Amino acid sequence: MREKRESDFKKIVLLNNKKIIKKFKKVFNKEIQMFAHEIFEAYKLCKIIDDQCKNNEQKQYVAMYLFNALNNLISSFNLLISGYLLPSGNLMRHFTESCAMAILSSDDNFFQKIKEENTKFPVHKSLDFVFANKKILDINKNGWIGFNGIKKIYNDYSHASLFSISASFLHCRYGEGITKIGPFFDDGKIDYYKKVINERINAVKSLKNIVNGLKIRINQKS
């Protein structure tokens, strides 16, 4: 690792990521446009639920978690194409848990439990709660197993594993001790970038399916 000076760290803290985003856009412009389209479609669906929940606290919880899921996806994608691979992965776990909490909030019993326990409610178990109550919540088993796979993929980003640490290494030089401090675009990670970008596009599609299902559930409530 090249020795750095204090001035180098000031540059890192105040870094403008336009150059990095430009590199991602050059390689993945089609995928970026697709994500923007899909996330806008998801926003319109979430807005419908938000417009229906003005005088119903339970529906407001559902809408709140859905918009949090939407925002986490946008932030995750932005961090990814800004060169922050690890923080981007962390937000994908938040995305899945927000979706699960929206589904749980649509159920009367879980809604009361979430309200009563507040910050003590075990959000990290929310996807398991949905799966265990899939019949009550009208959740497709295979579909939820696939969705749960998103969280499993990005669990490793939440711990200081060798997998997460590798995000700070230039892939094409991994093993040579070449690390990067701050955001960067790595030409050696093109295939991996394409994979994780497409994962986020598919995640938006999953969110749209979840919102459509929740529209039916909450419309049945007074």
Side-chain angles (χ1 to χ4, degrees):
M1 183 188 299
R2 180 180 67 84
E3 185 175 351
K4 293 186 179 296
R5 298 165 295 186
E6 183 175 344
S7 59
D8 292 323
F9 284 91
K10 288 181 181 178
K11 290 178 182 178
I12 293 171
V13 171
L14 299 172
L15 182 66
N16 185 318
N17 293 312
K18 287 184 179 179
K19 290 183 179 180
I20 295 174
I21 292 176
K22 187 176 181 180
K23 290 181 179 180
F24 272 97
K25 189 174 180 180
K26 182 178 179 181
V27 181
F28 302 109
N29 185 58
K30 178 182 177 182
E31 289 84 356
I32 291 171
Q33 296 299 325
M34 188 182 301
F35 179 85
H37 170 75
E38 291 291 342
I39 206 71
F40 177 63
E41 293 298 314
Y43 161 77
K44 289 191 293 185
L45 291 173
C46 290
K47 188 69 169 60
I48 292 172
I49 290 182
D50 186 58
D51 290 341
Q52 296 174 346
C53 73
K54 302 304 180 185
N55 299 312
N56 187 300
E57 187 180 18
Q58 185 175 6
K59 293 180 182 180
Q60 288 172 357
Y61 267 65
V62 174
M64 173 184 69
Y65 280 117
L66 287 177
F67 270 102
N68 193 54
L70 183 84
N71 193 46
N72 283 331
L73 258 185
I74 295 171
S75 297
S76 174
F77 196 87
N78 179 262
L79 285 170
L80 174 57
I81 65 172
S82 297
Y84 294 100
L85 187 59
L86 190 59
S88 171
N90 269 321
L91 278 177
M92 290 301 291
R93 179 173 177 174
H94 283 257
F95 159 72
T96 59
E97 290 177 349
S98 294
C99 288
M101 290 297 289
I103 294 171
L104 294 175
S105 295
S106 70
D107 175 78
D108 294 342
N109 292 328
F110 270 110
F111 171 63
Q112 291 301 322
K113 189 176 180 66
I114 291 168
K115 274 188 62 179
E116 291 170 5
E117 297 187 8
N118 203 319
T119 56
K120 294 182 180 180
F121 185 85
V123 177
H124 63 286
K125 296 181 179 179
S126 56
L127 278 85
D128 294 331
F129 290 153
V130 171
F131 186 76
N133 296 273
K134 55 187 176 294
K135 290 185 178 180
I136 296 174
L137 298 169
D138 195 25
I139 297 297
N140 177 272
K141 177 181 177 180
N142 292 330
W144 193 251
I145 289 175
F147 183 79
N148 194 44
I150 299 174
K151 181 181 179 182
K152 290 181 179 179
I153 290 171
Y154 290 99
N155 271 345
D156 285 336
Y157 282 82
S158 301
H159 308 285
S161 62
L162 289 176
F163 174 77
S164 65
I165 291 173
S166 68
S168 298
F169 283 80
L170 286 173
H171 183 76
C172 54
R173 299 177 182 175
Y174 188 76
E176 296 179 12
I178 306 299
T179 60
K180 292 288 291 185
I181 296 178
F184 61 92
F185 179 90
D186 185 356
D187 290 318
K189 286 190 173 78
I190 297 297
D191 289 341
Y192 184 71
Y193 287 150
K194 186 176 182 65
K195 175 178 177 292
V196 294
I197 285 173
N198 284 326
E199 284 173 354
R200 283 153 181 75
I201 293 172
N202 289 331
V204 185
K205 294 176 180 179
S206 294
L207 175 60
K208 288 163 64 178
N209 289 334
I210 289 170
V211 177
N212 280 324
L214 286 173
K215 278 169 56 182
I216 297 172
R217 283 183 61 82
I218 66 172
N219 282 336
Q220 296 171 347
K221 297 182 181 296
S222 58

